[in-house]
């Protein structure tokens, strides 16, 4: 129990203290007009209040990610608390802040454009493909579950439920942001927050003791903590998906100082939600063995339903149903919207992305593979979402490093988590079945060698930029 409270306090302290450090390093100026005013178009560039932007950002990045991922990560035991806290404060918060603020700095630019600005044209082209594929995978992965649940509690068939969801997806992707997303997301955000707080209160006063910190690996399947925990709990620690969502809100901000509240603040909010559900997962079923049995029997949706209905009764059951239906959909709709924004931005050299026929055509073209992917095995989809998600997160952090190096600012705040995530991704790709499926020790060695190679390149860039800065000083003097 003490560990849980300490973790909560650390997350809040991280926002109160470290987010200000990150903001100071980036540098903000409220006298500069934001893209919401300089590019107002009534579609994506629409000024909105910071609290509405925060709720939209929270729903964009969260959905069921910090619930399902945290429950699965709870299989490793209380060590998951460490990753959620440190990941949210020093990696996820930095990642989300820079992805949002660099988008703001460059007129609301999409993630691939930002990458191209700081890592080069080849990186932009590669990331454009990876990012759009990630958006389609996420949209598909977060659609099948709700459709199955709708089919089980209504007369609609699974296909009919899918069609209904995709009609909403298409509308949310092509209508102005303040018409659907800006109006319904605050309500959905309230459901997500109330759900988490209710579970936390029930846990604390329900007579169950949340386990305290141990560094031991309690996973019943004896799966290694490194790097699997860092991929299992992505939403709630650091997630590359967030960098594709931040431009949606950056185009609605009224002033630059709102970025700390919206981007870093939403990441900490997601970390709190993940912490609560990780605690619930490892507590409610009497340990990680019980949790594994529950996951095997009903999957993450079944675990969430069991915890909610048992701790909160009928109210909890309603929240669980609303959560499992609504929250994934709120991730899927903005994933498709982001894919549409990326695709139209890439096509802007050849076609006018403001024309409705182009807008609708691109959205339909992207929606079709999402619809088809949502009909295949969910577990298969989710495995590929995890790896590509953390790859995108690593690229975003290195983009932030490049920006900070060029500006002569404290690049280490992004460089250290970037190196960490490089190790996570390279080891994971080597070890995971959906990667190369190599022996664990071999994968560790490969991950170490790749990380050391990247670290060497990083040091060379530091020396190079210091040399450039020194020459500028000599010339100016």
């Amino acid at each position: 129990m003490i560990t849980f409270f300490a973790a909560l306090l650390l997350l809040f302290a991280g926002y109160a203290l470290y987010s200000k450090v990150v903001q100071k390093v980036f540098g903000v100026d409220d006298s500069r007009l934001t893209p919401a005013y300089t590019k107002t178009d009534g579609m994506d560039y629409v000024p909105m209040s910071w609290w509405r932007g925060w709720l939209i950002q929270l729903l964009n990045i969260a959905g069921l990610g910090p619930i399902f991922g945290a429950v699965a990560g709870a299989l490793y035991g209380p060590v998951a608390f460490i990753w959620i806290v440190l990941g949210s404060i020093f990696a996820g918060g930095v990642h989300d802040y820079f992805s949002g603020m660099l988008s703001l700095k460059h007129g609301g630019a999409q993630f691939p454009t930002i990458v191209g600005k700081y890592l080069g044209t080849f990186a932009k082209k590669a990331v454009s493909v990876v990012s759009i594929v990630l958006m389609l995978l996420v949209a598909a992965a977060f659609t099948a579950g709700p459709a199955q649940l709708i089919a089980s509690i209504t007369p609609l068939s699974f296909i009919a439920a899918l069609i209904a969801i995709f009609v909403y997806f298409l509308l949310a992707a092509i209508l102005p942001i303040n018409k659907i997303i800006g109006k319904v997301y605050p309500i959905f955000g309230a459901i997500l927050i109330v759900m988490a707080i209710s579970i936390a209160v029930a846990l604390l006063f329900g007579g169950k003791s949340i386990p305290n910190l141990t560094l031991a690996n309690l996973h019943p399947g004896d799966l290694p903590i490194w790097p699997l925990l860092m991929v299992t709990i992505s939403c709630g620690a650091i997630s590359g998906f967030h960098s594709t969502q931040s431009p949606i809100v950056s185009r609605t901000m009224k002033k630059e100082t709102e970025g700390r509240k919206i981007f870093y603040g939403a990441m900490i909010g997601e970390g709190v939600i993940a912490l609560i559900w990780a605690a619930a997962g490892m507590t409610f079923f009497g340990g990680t063995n019980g949790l594994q049995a529950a996951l095997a029997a009903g999957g993450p949706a079944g675990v969430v339903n069991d915890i909610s209905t048992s701790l909160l009764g009928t109210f909890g059951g309603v929240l669980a149903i609303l959560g499992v239906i609504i929250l994934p959909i709120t991730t899927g709709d903005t994933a498709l919207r982001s894919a549409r924004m990326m695709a139209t931005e890439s096509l802007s050299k050849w076609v006018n992305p403001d024309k409705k026929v182009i807008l609708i055509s691109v959205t339909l073209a992207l929606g079709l593979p999402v619809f088809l992917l949502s009909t295949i095995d969910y577990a298969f989809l989710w495995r590929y979402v995890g790896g590509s998600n953390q790859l995108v997160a690593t690229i975003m952090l290195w983009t932030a490093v490049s920006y900070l190096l060029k500006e002569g600012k404290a690049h280490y705040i992004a460089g250290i988590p970037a190196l960490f995530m490089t190790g996570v991704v390279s080891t994971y790709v080597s070890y995971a079945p959906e990667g190369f499926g190599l022996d664990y020790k071999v994968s560790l060695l490969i991950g170490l060698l790749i990380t050391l190679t990247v670290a060497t390149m990083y040091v060379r860039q530091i020396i190079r930029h210091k040399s450039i800065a020194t020459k500028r000083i000599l010339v100016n003097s």
Side-chain angles (χ1 to χ4, degrees), residues 178-365:
N178 59 338
K179 296 300 181 184
I180 293 183
I181 292 175
K183 290 182 178 179
V184 302
Y185 267 40
I187 300 171
F188 296 162
I191 291 173
L192 178 65
I193 294 167
V194 168
M195 191 177 182
I197 292 175
S198 300
I199 292 295
V201 171
L203 272 179
L204 296 175
F205 296 98
K208 294 181 180 292
S209 179
I210 300 173
N212 284 318
L213 181 62
T214 173
L215 297 179
N217 183 359
L218 302 183
H219 198 293
D222 198 32
L223 293 178
I225 292 174
W226 174 274
L228 298 187
L229 176 60
M230 291 77 193
V231 175
T232 303
I233 302 181
S234 54
C235 291
I238 178 172
S239 167
F241 177 69
H242 298 185
S243 62
T244 67
Q245 301 301 291
S246 296
I248 293 177
V249 180
S250 76
R251 298 181 178 194
T252 70
M253 289 168 54
K254 293 181 176 181
K255 53 185 181 179
E256 293 186 3
T257 51
E258 292 176 348
R260 186 175 74 90
K261 299 174 186 175
I262 294 173
F263 301 119
Y264 200 104
M267 181 63 246
I268 294 299
E270 187 186 54
V272 170
I273 293 169
L275 191 73
I276 290 170
W277 281 99
M282 66 183 74
T283 302
F284 181 79
F285 298 99
T288 56
N289 286 306
L291 174 59
Q292 186 183 50
L295 284 169
V303 167
V304 170
N305 184 62
D306 288 345
I307 293 173
S308 300
T309 53
S310 298
L311 293 180
L312 304 175
T314 303
F315 173 68
V318 172
L319 277 181
I321 291 173
L322 287 174
V324 173
I325 291 177
I326 292 174
L327 297 179
I329 292 175
T330 62
T331 300
D333 61 3
T334 50
L336 185 57
R337 188 181 184 93
S338 293
R340 184 267 296 170
M341 290 164 67
M342 289 180 193
T344 52
E345 188 171 281
S346 299
L347 294 171
S348 61
K349 291 182 180 179
W350 299 281
V351 296
N352 182 0
D354 294 329
K355 286 189 175 181
K356 294 296 181 184
V357 65
I358 300 297
L359 195 69
I360 295 171
S361 298
V362 169
T363 306
L364 288 172

Side-chain angles (χ1 to χ4, degrees), residues 90-103:
F90 298 108
V94 174
H95 170 280
D96 288 16
Y97 183 82
F98 276 93
S99 66
M101 295 304 290
L102 286 175
S103 173

